[in-house]
Amino acid sequence: MVPAAEPIRSGAALTGSAPSTPAEAPARLPQPFAIVGAGRLGTALSVALRAAGVPVTGPHGRGYTGVGDAAVLLCVPDDAITSAAARIDPGPVIGHCSGASGLDVLGDRPGFSVHPLMTVTPAGADFRGVFAAVDGSSAAALSVGEALSRSVGLRPVRVAGRDRVAYHAAASIAANYLVTVEAAAAELLATAGLDREVLLPLARAALENWGRLGPAALTGPVARGDTGTVAGHRAAVVDRVPELVELLDALVAATERLADRVR
């Protein structure tokens, strides 16, 4: 097994491997190369690989056996990885695209993982410049994941099996729960007769500031210690959207802890 790299820390992803030129990566990707799973990610990766000049078959259905292939990438739901891997005949190195799963789900055979840190819509995806968490059961298997990533413009960073769940939870907080918080803000704003688009410039600026400054970007009444305003916010939520008060209380408490750290 390849020794695990350190888990991603603040800013560590920026030191990950830089993308190589498209002409370099396809030559290092084992051929024939197949993709299993015709969902959004499997379809988008197939399109992106072909656009980069990489020969690829699929996306195939989950019963695909991989006979004659050198490598097979499983773009299937997490709970289907083990069964899909078991259907692949011995020979090809197998990869998966799960963010939370380690390599153990592939069974006792050479394996790699590539998890693009992005959302994929039915319209497709532009992978260029996006980070991808990669891992491999050996140096050779890891190189397949890295070559695959670079072929479509992804920026591979190593995330070992023991760190996958924490990494994926962080991604969920950064993306999924961000939408939840913005939806809560929009729900409260709607009681004042305004649409969520009013919040969009503010939310974008806050995210960009956090990207540049980290926790030092924190502003607002909690950071200022304006307890009267915070209490007024809570009263408004209790009055207008009481189902959101627990979320508000949790956010205020977390923001107080963050403010204490940056003062």
Side-chain angles (χ1 to χ4, degrees):
M1 300 288 284
V2 176
E6 287 297 313
I8 295 176
R9 307 298 185 196
S10 176
L14 299 180
T15 64
S17 304
S20 55
T21 61
E24 178 185 351
R28 294 164 49 194
L29 200 59
Q31 294 295 329
F33 189 92
I35 290 180
V36 175
R40 294 181 183 181
L41 183 56
T43 300
L45 282 172
S46 298
V47 170
L49 283 167
R50 291 188 179 104
V54 180
V56 58
T57 66
H60 303 281
R62 296 185 199 175
Y64 185 71
T65 62
V67 174
D69 288 321
V72 177
L73 179 66
L74 305 177
C75 300
V76 300
D78 290 7
D79 59 5
I81 294 174
T82 298
S83 60
R87 293 173 182 257
I88 304 299
D89 283 4
V93 60
I94 304 177
H96 69 67
C97 291
S98 169
S101 303
L103 298 174
D104 57 303
V105 296
L106 297 173
D108 187 19
R109 57 192 302 170
F112 66 94
S113 60
V114 176
H115 178 253
L117 195 54
M118 64 182 296
T119 57
V120 178
T121 70
D126 184 355
F127 298 103
R128 292 172 298 180
V130 174
F131 286 99
V134 300
D135 196 14
S137 60
S138 66
L142 178 62
S143 70
V144 176
E146 292 175 336
L148 170 62
S149 299
R150 294 187 178 115
S151 293
V152 296
L154 289 165
R155 303 172 65 182
V157 289
R158 183 82 181 276
V159 181
R162 65 175 179 270
D163 299 315
R164 301 292 288 201
V165 175
Y167 150 82
H168 198 253
S172 293
I173 292 171
N176 309 147
Y177 302 155
L178 176 62
V179 174
T180 301
V181 169
E182 295 302 333
E187 186 175 354
L188 179 59
L189 188 70
T191 69
L194 297 175
D195 187 77
R196 67 177 184 271
E197 67 180 2
V198 174
L199 295 172
L200 198 52
L202 175 66
R204 282 176 173 157
L207 187 58
E208 290 295 331
N209 289 340
W210 172 79
R212 290 187 298 105
L213 303 174
L218 183 65
T219 63
V222 174
R224 294 192 300 267
D226 193 347
T227 57
T229 299
V230 174
H233 290 176
R234 191 180 193 279
V237 171
V238 169
D239 178 56
R240 299 189 175 207
V241 278
E243 63 272 20
L244 295 179
V245 71
E246 289 186 9
L247 175 61
L248 177 67
D249 287 344
L251 291 170
V252 168
T255 303
E256 287 173 341
R257 292 192 294 271
L258 182 60
D260 286 341
R261 283 170 45 198
V262 298
R263 284 192 182 113

